[in-house]
Amino acid sequence: YYGENYLVECPTGSGKKSSILGVSDMLSDRLTNLFMPSKDGKGRPALRLHEKMATDQHFKDNILFFEHFHGDSGRGVGASHQTGWTGLVAKIIQARGVEAAEAGTSNEA
């Protein structure tokens, strides 16, 4: 609707301008990164407080969708048995996988 010519500052206060699609992509990346295996080998940021869930071979791929996330570390807090708004992240991850497959690339962290 707005197109590539409508730019907003993102992140706020950064002085960087981006299209609405660019902002959407950046927010999607930030959300999905909470659930993707980290490059430092400590497991998914959302599971950092739960070492067994984060690194154990039998549990590390069982992703919990928490209610809230710590602003600095990304660890999941609050209820993990709910799949409300965070369940939408699964749809974003799925869509990104389909896009990567169609482009012949990988979206792995």
Side-chain angles (χ1 to χ4, degrees), residues 29-78:
D29 288 344
R30 290 177 67 180
L31 281 172
T32 57
N33 284 337
L34 291 172
F35 300 96
M36 301 303 285
S38 63
K39 292 178 183 174
D40 63 9
K42 295 182 181 178
R44 303 168 198 280
L47 299 175
R48 289 270 166 94
L49 273 187
H50 309 283
E51 185 175 345
K52 185 175 187 113
M53 294 296 292
T55 59
D56 186 277
Q57 67 175 350
H58 300 291
F59 295 99
K60 67 181 181 176
D61 292 326
N62 294 325
I63 303 171
L64 300 175
F65 291 92
F66 290 91
E67 195 173 13
H68 307 284
F69 300 91
H70 189 278
D72 293 326
S73 68
R75 71 174 165 80
V77 295

